[in-house]
Amino acid sequence: MKQFHVYQGTQIKDSNTSSKMMYHLVLSLLPIILFAWYQRGIVPYMEERTDIIGLFYPLLFLLLPSLITYLMEVLFHIHHPHPFKDAFFNYGFVIGLFLGLILPFQTPVVILIIASLFSSLIGKLIFGGFGCNIFNPALIGYLFVLMSYGAVMSVDVVSSATPLTNFKNLGGIGNYHNLVEPYGNLWNFFFGTIPGTLGETSGLLCILAYFYLCIKKVIKWKIPLIYVGTVFGMTFLIGGYQNLDIWFPIFQVLSGGLLFGAVFMATDPVTSPTTPIGQILYALFLGILTVFFRFGTSYPEGVMFSILIMNLFVFILDQVGSKSRFNFTHAIIPFFLAWTLILGLGVYFGLNVGKEKTDSNFHIISKEKNQNEFSYIVEQKGYAGNIKARIVIQNYSVSSFEVLEQNESYYKRVEKADYIEKLLENQKHLEQVDTISGATKTSTALKNMLIHTLEDYEKEVHS
Amino acid sequence: MKAGLKLFNNKKLTKNKEIISYKKPKYVYIPLVNQNDTNITPLVKKGDFVKVGSIVGKRKGNLRIPIHSSVSGKVIDFVEKPYLNGQMVKCIQIENDFEETKEKREVKKLHQYTKEEFVHQLKSCGVIGMGGNGFPTYVKYDQDIPLHTLIVNATECEPYITADYVLMMNHIEEILDTMDAIMEINHLDEVILAIKKSNQKLWKMIHNYIGTYLKIKVVFVSDKYGIGWERALVQEAKHVTYDKYPLEKGIVVNNVSTIYAIYQALKYGNALTERIVTFTGEMLKEPQNVVVKVGTPVSEVIESIGGYKRNNDIRFVAGGPMMGHTLPNDELVVSPNLNCVLVLKDWKKVEERPCIRCGKCVSVCPAKLCPVLIKDYQKNKRRLGELKPEKCVECGLCDYICPAGIPLREIIHSVKEGLK
């Protein structure tokens, strides 16, 4: 009698395996890595702005955390032997890679190492290793860096203020002139020649990676599409209330880590819902939270936080998702909530954001014209009462900026930082001048004072 | 259909070949089983003489159905043989006298049966669903609910299998005639022949005959695997959903092979003792569609068509690659619901990896289940109540698609059994 092997399950198999999916994922990251290297390593080297270490630093910046998370995985499995451990090691590598791509490039090496350890240990291994983690491990490392070393990270980097930091510092909604123009035009946002972390700058490469991963059936395609769509829709609404054109939602979509986060971080299979309805709700709420963080808090970037928060709800979303497959009524309330929030927050931010900054806080007390010299006395609301100043403009250039009256509590800090000097030096791109930490309101007020006066001056000259 | 998946179907191995027959086995082993139910009373004893079509056993319970001998000859023993699901079942061993003496049954012209006679004829000829399940067919027509539609399932969505296809290519006239007769006998309003969109060759052939049958409608359904499932088919062809059985809405669904068995029963009074089985797979020298008698040992048929390419390194599958079961040997005997014997190259089964929660199993499931969650909550009775694993039809799509190689079909099957 012939003897054959007996197998469970189907006798033909889809050719897509976990390892292949991981391979495609890394492959789709490759152009992004190479572009980052080109931008941050090769170009500075060619222009002789950096040395040979600087040339390879971007690659080291990605490789170091990858190696650390990989080693952590290996160490963990010495103590927890598991039949599939080889597979786990590769998954460990990817965590570090993502971490390197989402952390600010100026992160010191020590912090990078600590963040990698934190990602691997707290983000994943403490939950019991692969498949058991609730939160995206790379984002846990990111959160840790932000919470513990936020101050170190934002040390004066005037030249590389990201579009979103700039947007936040404006304190209001801004306009094309001060949001997009400092970086050229929107094409630069699309191609990625703007400041940002290694992974997030190029919208084009993220979109290409999205299509590649969809064709190869690696990621949950609904999540990035609906997530970005929601942010676009809500910012379109907000922009509409503020009389801003279509460029504003495009600016919001292309700025910061939205595209990268949507394509790579929000679709992390372990920490996102498995059911289609769950995925749709997950993506809608991600969009809502991101818009909330960007417009409703003082924190410039909302993507990574939104994903971490929504990771918590995956369990519930899957419960809703699985029930609503048989009976859609289970999903009505969450969908209703999502639509209400999208419209409600859209309208609320549309009506309210930017009001604070508008002219009600700024007054021109007097202006004198003397040949081509304009002398302004202006008043702007600061941290404690109004700040009064005299500003003299000559031939489109501010020749003097003198504070006449102020009651600011932390004014000394402003003086110590030579903030006014700095403003005068950078008067052509004031948007990029960072505020003084510890005297944010005061410094913002001073900056805005100058911006508004210059706006008024331009109007005068043109008319 | 939203769910389901297009599969590489590999039907070309047998699709364009002539049907051959293998009708002279020395012994047949009539399996005493229907729909996985082995609670069947044998009605013969050792030494009895039986004819082709003699009743040798009867299923007990609500779904009574006789089981017939497929040869004439002497009952010599009762032996255990593997059934297509891998279980050992009791079989009646009959020695063939090659006389083909037939048990006579009264017959009429196709269209002249009354409904009662029709149901009686199906029952006494033992016509059962030949698509794989083996549900007694007469039960579907013997209902108080007024029937209005017959859907003939000719989708044959399992890869490799072409038994229904070649049957239609050769016997379309008989099939259409029978469909017409069933419609008249049961006073149906509509008869639908459901074939796959991509099956243009079949459509061209049917097109030549369909003109005569004004009330028969051909419906093209999507090419995905999973469409052959009754619920999906009724949904796509009729846009009707139902709770448990399509009968609730007055719809009968029959496989096209079953229709041919009905034809044989009505026209000649032949019991269901033969069928076309697709013998295919890359490890067979000559893949073929073969007409075989119920109870024929499969190994004999394989030998008669040229045998295996190699004797080891083989995976032996009873049924199609998706829903079939691998068997440890080729002792299998033909049962009326065996549509395919697939001989594939042995493989190194994809190593089982941890679930990465990609959600693919959820997106392909035609029964709208969440296999990954059922796997997670295997032990949680309350949550299982919401996840409804009992709705699983074991189509194998989740198993097929899983990139981690997790045996989801088996897991859900055991969860289902555990709930019973």
Side-chain angles (χ1 to χ4, degrees), chain B residues 79-355:
Chain B
V79 290
E80 297 251 305
K81 287 275 177 185
Y83 183 51
L84 50 81
N85 63 4
Q87 260 178 11
M88 297 300 282
V89 299
K90 202 155 109 184
C91 298
I92 304 174
Q93 186 181 9
I94 302 169
E95 188 178 17
N96 194 352
D97 63 3
F98 301 105
E99 296 285 331
E100 294 286 316
T101 331
K102 240 178 78 175
E103 189 81 49
K104 289 263 177 342
R105 281 188 184 78
E106 261 183 58
V107 289
K108 288 183 173 179
K109 278 196 175 155
L110 274 188
H111 290 71
Q112 286 171 352
Y113 282 88
T114 64
K115 176 148 185 178
E116 286 69 34
E117 287 166 347
F118 171 76
V119 169
H120 176 262
Q121 192 75 355
L122 294 196
K123 187 175 179 181
S124 71
C125 288
V127 179
I128 61 172
M130 290 166 79
N133 185 290
F135 186 81
T137 304
Y138 79 90
V139 181
K140 293 186 178 177
Y141 291 96
D142 192 15
Q143 294 292 328
D144 298 332
I145 307 160
L147 304 173
H148 54 77
T149 305
L150 166 68
I151 301 177
V152 176
N153 185 350
T155 54
E156 199 165 51
C157 53
E158 276 255 16
Y160 286 96
I161 308 182
T162 54
D164 287 353
Y165 176 80
V166 294
L167 175 77
M168 279 198 283
M169 289 307 261
N170 287 285
H171 299 285
I172 189 69
E173 275 178 283
E174 291 93 316
I175 289 164
L176 291 173
D177 227 19
T178 315
M179 285 166 68
D180 198 52
I182 294 173
M183 180 172 72
E184 235 165 72
I185 294 164
N186 293 285
H187 312 293
L188 305 178
D189 306 328
E190 198 179 12
V191 185
I192 295 171
L193 179 64
I195 64 173
K196 284 199 173 177
K197 265 181 212 155
S198 61
N199 221 337
Q200 286 303 317
K201 206 173 161 192
L202 187 63
W203 163 237
K204 270 181 201 147
M205 193 272 301
I206 296 172
H207 192 75
N208 296 331
Y209 296 92
I210 197 82
T212 338
Y213 306 96
L214 293 172
K215 285 188 174 168
I216 298 179
K217 207 167 94 186
V218 175
V219 170
F220 296 95
V221 293
S222 54
D223 286 329
K224 288 170 170 173
Y225 171 78
I227 192 69
W229 177 36
E230 212 165 63
R231 193 177 291 267
L233 188 68
V234 172
Q235 166 87 54
E236 183 150 325
K238 265 306 263 182
H239 309 288
V240 168
T241 53
Y242 54 88
D243 182 33
K244 268 196 151 149
Y245 302 105
L247 288 173
E248 295 159 16
K249 304 274 162 123
I251 299 170
V252 179
V253 182
N254 277 152
N255 188 280
V256 68
S257 297
T258 314
I259 296 290
Y260 189 68
I262 295 175
Y263 169 78
Q264 291 286 340
L266 298 185
K267 178 101 182 186
Y268 306 110
N270 286 346
L272 176 46
T273 57
E274 291 179 0
R275 70 157 298 147
I276 301 178
V277 178
T278 307
F279 286 82
T280 185
E282 69 253 15
M283 288 305 277
L284 280 185
K285 275 193 187 139
E286 198 58 49
Q288 290 280 13
N289 277 296
V290 190
V291 181
V292 287
K293 285 183 176 290
V294 171
T296 313
V298 163
S299 54
E300 265 179 45
V301 186
I302 289 176
E303 214 145 287
S304 81
I305 59 167
Y308 304 108
K309 272 191 188 156
R310 277 201 300 270
N311 275 331
N312 45 13
D313 206 16
I314 279 172
R315 245 181 313 152
F316 186 90
V317 189
M322 296 296 284
M323 295 186 74
H325 295 263
T326 50
L327 299 182
N329 52 49
D330 55 5
E331 298 284 284
L332 176 74
V333 292
V334 175
S335 55
N337 53 347
L338 176 78
N339 46 15
C340 178
V341 172
L342 182 61
V343 185
L344 293 170
K345 218 172 160 173
D346 206 358
W347 63 358
K348 252 188 101 182
K349 179 91 181 178
V350 187
E351 208 182 316
E352 192 185 328
R353 301 266 165 133
C355 177

Side-chain angles (χ1 to χ4, degrees), chain A residues 2 4-14 16-18 84 87 217 220 269 315 319 323 325, chain B residues 311 315 321 326 328-329 346-347 349 352-353 356-358 360 362 368-369 377 383 396 399-400 403 410:
Chain A
K2 292 190 180 71
F4 309 123
H5 287 125
V6 175
Y7 301 93
Q8 290 190 326
T10 56
Q11 297 310 310
I12 46 176
K13 271 277 186 189
D14 189 40
N16 227 352
T17 60
S18 313
F84 317 122
K217 300 196 169 130
K220 299 164 178 166
F315 166 76
Q319 205 152 2
K323 281 194 213 164
R325 295 202 90 192
Chain B
N311 275 331
R315 245 181 313 152
T326 50
N329 52 49
D346 206 358
W347 63 358
K349 179 91 181 178
E352 192 185 328
R353 301 266 165 133
I356 56 170
R357 309 186 68 78
C358 62
K360 287 185 180 185
V362 182
K368 296 183 179 176
L369 296 173
Y377 295 103
R383 194 76 177 86
D399 220 307
Y400 169 84
E410 250 63 31

Side-chain angles (χ1 to χ4, degrees), chain A residues 8 26 45 48 119 148 175 195 213 238 249 297 331 344 431 441 449:
Chain A
Q8 290 190 326
V26 175
Y45 184 74
E48 294 182 350
S119 280
S148 342
N175 53 41
L213 293 172
I238 295 169
T297 70
E431 298 79 19
K441 286 228 164 159
M449 213 174 215

